[in-house]
Each structure stands twice: as structure tokens, then as C-alpha cells.
Amino acid sequence: MTNKMDFLKGMIQELKDKNLFTELPVLGTEQKNRVVLNGKEVIIMCTNNYLGFANHSRLREAAKKAIDTWGFGAGAVRQIAGTMEIHVQLEEMLAEYKHTEAALVFVAGIAANRGTIQAIMGEEDAIISDELNHGSIIDGVRLTKSKRFVYPHLDMEGLKKVLVEAKEARRRLVVTDGVFSMDGEIAPLDRIVELAEEYDAMVMVDDAHGDGVLGKDGRGIIDHFGLEGRVDIDMGTLSKAFGSLGGYIAGRKDLRDYLINTARSFIFTTAHPPSVAAATMESIRMIQDEPEHLQRLWRNTRYFKKAMTDLGFDIGHSQTPITPVMARQSKEAVELSRQLFEEGLFAKPIVFPLVARDKSRVRINVTAQHTQEDLDEAIAIFEIAGKRMNLI
Ligand SMILES: Cc1ncc(COP(=O)(O)O)c(C=O)c1O
């Protein structure tokens, strides 16, 4: 008997034929340096747990204590009865940490991007976006009726050109990833801010991969470039280096007040469990009072990148722990990932539509949790697989 949903079978087959189909890898352990996957212990090099906070005892304890005090669920959306004191304390702490007037937490980074862009940009406005911005920024742009301008990746002449084209719009917003999640490059935010100031545009930066990684005490890209007070909207996620869950916007108090009232992805969803807020606060404390995690992250990053370059791998132009190991077409990236797994290393292939078809890669995220032994073993595994596949 046919079923109305049978068309999905054909669509799945199409994805499989193009090597674009993926199954969910299911971990049998916590997010440590080595995990059990499909019954096999492997070094994991594709998490965003940059500092090792996701499974740190301080976050576990903070969450447990909050459950005892506040219970588990938040019970309601933020605007109705879901805002507890602990949610507000987290927002105050984030604002202080980010040196802004205020902050607002969303359920996820994707919700922060969607909700913020949708709320503040109207039909008469123009949104100016780097061509490789994250999908959640693109979603936010699509939720508006604003005019859209896309400039070539990191191209400041291209940005200038579209700023001129967008001159007639009521308001202009330049939005960029801080650290590009697939390539690990740092956006030239200093130049972007200068140009935006020259052409009277607002600037929004998505610092999902810069938070906890760049700047003093991991304050992110704005601190990295010394641009405090000159970036209008500092967006980030709490789910990567902070080891928790949620997205946030830091900026003026007016921005917070307006988003509370108009950002649909903030309004129409239940607040975080209070234990999430408590654990996140602990991670903000920890990043400031235990600098060794950040130091180890960068030491590991430098070590791994140098070894991979010395072996002859093409690892792009990353300036951060994100390390793309280029493998040409999707098929080759999938095969590289498979071979790495066979040898004891887990890193997912990244293929179209996440990146261009001929820029397929295995993306490595070095973390502070990797030991010297992990890194040396990972490098040796790459050497074996890279030689077999003629990548080096
Ligand atoms: C650049 C960027 N922005 C936003 C997000 C979304 O963050 P979240 O996972 O908290 O929804 C991610 C991660 O997935 C990201 O890499």
C-alpha cells in the first residue's frame, strides 16, 4: 500500500546518491577527549566543547545545586511566568562580562540570530551580509522583508561597494560571523566597523566561535580587536566554549527591552531550565578565574596546526582552533572521515550545502581537553589516511 509520505524515500535516495546523506552519530559517553561511538573508543575532534567545560565538575555541581533550589523546568515562556531570578542574574553577568549595558538570553544561538534580525529590520531597511555567514544568520535575514546585499567572503572592497548601493535604505545592518565556523578565519571586524561608521550602518557580529576563545578571558572578537562600544549587537552562543546551552545578545538596554517585546523566537518559547542558567554562570566565572583552559586550547591549536602543515595537508587559512582539512569533493571527505574513524579518530566530513561542493573537508576542532598523547595519535592517524588518499 502506498503512503502519502513515500516521496521521502526518493528524496533520501537522492541525498545518498550525492553523498550528502548523514546519520546521527550517537555517543555512548560524555564529551571527553575520547568517546565511545558505535562501541569503539575514539579521539573526538569535532565538538565545540573548546575549553572542556561541557563536562566539567564545576558546571555539574552548579547545575545540581540549581535543580535543588529551583526545580528542573522553567514552566513557562519568559514573558509570562518563565523568568526566574537566576535567568536575570545570568543576563546581568553576561552584560558585565561583555562590558555592555545589557544582555538577553535566547533558548539557542539560532534563536538569537533569527529573533534579533527579524525584530529590528524592516521593509525599508537593508541587511548586508558576508556570503559565508552562518545558516542561522541567513534564516534571520529571510524572516525580514529588508533588502539584501551579500558581499564576497571577507572582501572589504566588496563590503564598501554594497554599503554604497544600500545608501538609500532607511537603516543599514552589516552582519558577520566573528569566526567563520567552517574555515576558522577571523572576520576583519576592525575594518568592518570603520566602514560601517563611514556609511552609517549598524554592526552585528555572531561570535559563536570567538566566545571563550578570543580576547582577554575569552571575551570574544570585540575584545580581540579592542572595539568595545563600537559594535551595536554582540551575538553569541552559550553552547560552545561555555559548555552549556542558549544564545545571547549583548548591547544597549533599549535593544534588550525591544527584543523582549518583539523577537518571536524569544517570545514564543519556554525559558531554559534554571540549571542551564546556573551552569552557564559558573562557566563565565571559570573562564575568568582558571585561565589555564584557554592557554591549553591555544597551545594545542598551535601544535596541531603546525604538525598538519608540516605533513603537507591543506588546512586553509584558519586563525583559530577550527582546522579544515581539505579533501576536495564530498566523496573524498566522506572517505577520509571513514578512514580516520577506522584508525581511532572521530571527525565528521563537512560537505555541500554546508560548504561549496569542491571545498569538502573534514573539520577538526582542537580543544583544551586533548592531551599531548591524543594530539600525537591524531596526527599519526592523519598521516596514514592522508598518504593512502594522496592528500599529502
Ligand atoms: C556561527 C554560528 N552561529 C550560530 C550558531 C547557533 O548556535 P546554537 O547551537 O546555540 O543554536 C552556531 C552553531 O551551531 C554557529 O556556528
Side-chain angles (χ1 to χ4, degrees), residues 108-110 113 134 136 177 179 181 206 208-209 235 237 239-240 246-247:
I110 188 170
N113 272 335
H134 190 255
S136 56
D177 276 25
V179 172
S181 55
D206 172 343
H209 293 273
M235 176 273 164
T237 175
S239 60
K240 303 193 192 298

Side-chain angles (χ1 to χ4, degrees), residues 22-310:
T22 184
E23 304 268 6
L24 292 180
V26 181
L27 308 190
T29 46
E30 63 184 66
Q31 288 284 359
K32 289 193 300 200
N33 51 338
R34 292 178 189 235
V35 297
V36 173
L37 189 64
N38 299 339
K40 182 179 164 112
E41 192 187 87
V42 285
I43 303 167
I44 186 166
M45 294 196 90
C46 51
T47 79
N48 299 312
N49 187 15
Y50 288 114
L51 299 171
F53 286 6
N55 53 322
H56 196 280
S57 56
R58 281 182 61 173
L59 269 73
R60 290 176 200 253
E61 287 312 313
K64 285 181 200 163
K65 226 165 114 192
I67 290 173
D68 288 342
T69 311
W70 296 97
F72 186 70
V77 301
R78 292 281 307 266
Q79 268 193 2
I80 297 184
T83 303
M84 296 166 170
E85 285 167 11
I86 196 161
H87 294 115
V88 179
Q89 283 161 12
L90 167 60
E91 288 168 344
E92 287 170 356
M93 187 187 259
L94 264 171
E96 196 180 319
Y97 172 67
K98 284 275 170 175
H99 298 160
T100 55
E101 254 177 46
L104 184 69
V105 172
F106 289 67
V107 288
I110 188 170
N113 272 335
R114 285 182 175 170
T116 304
I117 299 171
Q118 162 263 310
I120 65 167
M121 299 306 286
E123 202 166 346
E124 305 91 333
D125 302 326
I127 305 175
I128 298 164
S129 181
D130 184 293
E131 69 176 331
L132 292 191
N133 274 344
H134 190 255
S136 56
I137 295 178
I138 297 169
D139 281 7
V141 175
R142 287 182 180 157
L143 288 171
T144 71
K145 290 188 177 153
S146 306
K147 286 196 195 63
R148 294 147 200 202
F149 297 86
V150 175
Y151 59 92
H153 184 46
L154 304 177
D155 177 350
M156 293 300 99
E157 279 309 309
L159 170 58
K160 192 169 173 171
K161 195 163 151 251
V162 289
L163 278 163
V164 172
E165 282 171 34
K167 233 170 54 202
E168 301 306 320
R170 180 183 61 175
R171 285 191 274 275
R172 284 153 295 282
L173 173 71
V174 180
V175 57
T176 181
D177 276 25
V179 172
F180 284 84
S181 55
M182 296 301 151
D183 293 280
E185 304 141 320
I186 301 175
L189 196 61
D190 49 350
R191 270 304 282 147
I192 292 174
V193 166
E194 275 169 23
L195 284 169
E197 285 170 351
E198 192 181 332
Y199 290 90
D200 190 26
M202 299 173 283
V203 175
M204 171 170 175
V205 65
D206 172 343
D207 212 13
H209 293 273
D211 271 335
V213 173
L214 298 178
K216 180 167 164 27
D217 294 332
R219 278 196 178 77
I221 191 167
I222 296 174
D223 186 87
H224 172 82
F225 281 110
L227 292 170
E228 215 168 272
R230 291 173 68 192
V231 174
D232 306 278
I233 306 175
D234 180 2
M235 176 273 164
T237 175
L238 304 168
S239 60
K240 303 193 192 298
F242 294 111
S244 184
L245 175 70
Y248 72 85
I249 291 293
R252 289 168 59 129
K253 183 177 175 303
D254 295 351
L255 178 64
R256 179 177 191 273
D257 291 345
Y258 189 68
L259 292 176
I260 287 173
N261 287 280
T262 56
R264 295 172 66 83
S265 62
F266 176 84
I267 297 170
F268 295 108
T269 190
T270 296
H272 276 158
S275 53
V276 169
T280 310
M281 283 199 281
E282 193 59 21
S283 73
I284 297 171
R285 281 184 209 108
M286 198 156 84
I287 200 167
Q288 295 174 90
D289 63 33
E290 294 186 14
E292 58 270 27
H293 304 285
L294 191 52
Q295 286 159 5
R296 201 166 339 105
L297 171 66
W298 280 101
R299 215 170 37 242
N300 285 352
T301 299
R302 282 190 292 270
Y303 183 82
F304 182 77
K305 280 185 194 294
K306 176 167 187 321
M308 291 293 281
T309 308
D310 289 350

